[in-house]
Amino acid sequence: MAALKEFSVEAVAVLGPDPFGGYEDRHVLCVHPPIASDAAMALAASHDFGAPWRDSDAPLVAWQHIARSGPLEASRWRMLALAHGYQTMVRVEFPLPAGRAFECFMFSPRELADRSEAAALVWSTLNVWPVVKRCISQERSTLSPRERQCLMLAFNGLTARESSLQMSCTERTVNYHLANAMAKLKVDNKLAAVQRACWIGAI
């Protein structure tokens, strides 16, 4: 919030895929201030900027003046945002495998002057995103450091034998950690475990 304050951003919501839900299911991963939670939850429940948006090859960045939305666009999250005094929304997407994404929504009580102002806000968001993603991962993930390491090596295409050489352990130990990770992520194969670990930001 401190990094975005110069752009008059007063609320931030990050949505992410539900790793145990359907293709279009999104969760509110974090929101600040808490008073904006109702608008964030309504946004996650809507189809706005979700899977259909990504499937249409829409841009990774969206910017709109909420107050200027027409009657057909008066979805619940927009009405709640307006009720909190927010006039403008800027969205930045951080793509994930298999068509999923993290989405960072920023709300401001004023209208942005022009595209360059929105671009500067997006640039600031890109700069703080690694810290935000790490915090989200630590909060959501129950994976141990070794389980994450095994999944990361699998993501990079290494077999269990190759991973064991890199980790200085036995192949059996690698498979043990992978099995634990699969159980925690509620999947029955390594590929699905890697995919879900990506969706929660663990790797």
Side-chain angles (χ1 to χ4, degrees):
M1 291 302 294
L4 302 175
K5 200 159 186 67
E6 66 177 289
F7 302 100
S8 300
V9 171
E10 292 191 359
V12 174
V14 177
L15 306 187
D18 178 354
F20 308 112
Y23 180 55
E24 296 190 26
D25 295 333
R26 297 184 289 182
H27 279 174
V28 177
L29 305 182
C30 59
V31 60
H32 183 82
I35 195 173
S37 295
D38 55 355
M41 301 269 296
L43 179 55
S46 76
H47 292 293
D48 294 354
F49 308 107
W53 170 272
R54 292 192 293 277
D55 288 343
S56 67
D57 293 325
L60 300 180
V61 175
W63 162 36
Q64 62 180 238
H65 296 305
I66 303 170
R68 295 186 190 175
S69 300
L72 295 177
E73 297 177 314
S75 53
R76 184 167 181 268
W77 73 265
R78 286 186 175 88
M79 291 186 286
L80 289 167
L82 286 172
H84 292 307
Y86 307 133
Q87 300 291 312
T88 302
M89 180 278 296
V90 175
R91 171 192 179 273
V92 182
E93 178 177 308
F94 299 90
L96 293 167
R100 309 293 175 103
F102 287 123
E103 302 163 273
C104 183
F105 293 86
M106 292 153 287
F107 298 89
S108 173
R110 69 177 183 85
E111 292 189 0
L112 298 182
D114 52 39
R115 186 177 295 274
S116 64
E117 195 172 11
L121 174 53
V122 170
W123 184 254
S124 292
T125 306
L126 293 173
N127 285 332
V128 299
W129 177 250
V131 176
V132 175
K133 183 184 177 186
R134 184 167 61 250
C135 291
I136 289 172
S137 171
Q138 290 170 353
E139 187 69 26
R140 298 181 83 199
S141 176
T142 58
L143 298 172
S144 73
R146 293 292 267 182
E147 289 162 359
R148 280 198 299 273
Q149 184 180 11
C150 289
L151 288 171
M152 179 61 81
L153 293 172
F155 178 84
N156 289 329
L158 275 68
T159 64
R161 180 172 177 75
E162 292 167 337
S163 296
S164 69
L165 293 173
Q166 190 157 329
M167 295 171 63
S168 301
C169 64
T170 66
E171 185 176 348
R172 182 177 178 180
T173 299
V174 172
N175 286 326
Y176 170 78
H177 289 308
L178 287 172
N180 284 345
M182 286 186 281
K184 289 178 180 179
L185 295 168
K186 301 178 183 177
V187 294
D188 57 9
N189 64 76
K190 183 168 65 175
L191 177 61
V194 167
Q195 189 177 68
R196 286 195 175 176
C198 287
W199 292 348
I200 63 173
I203 61 174

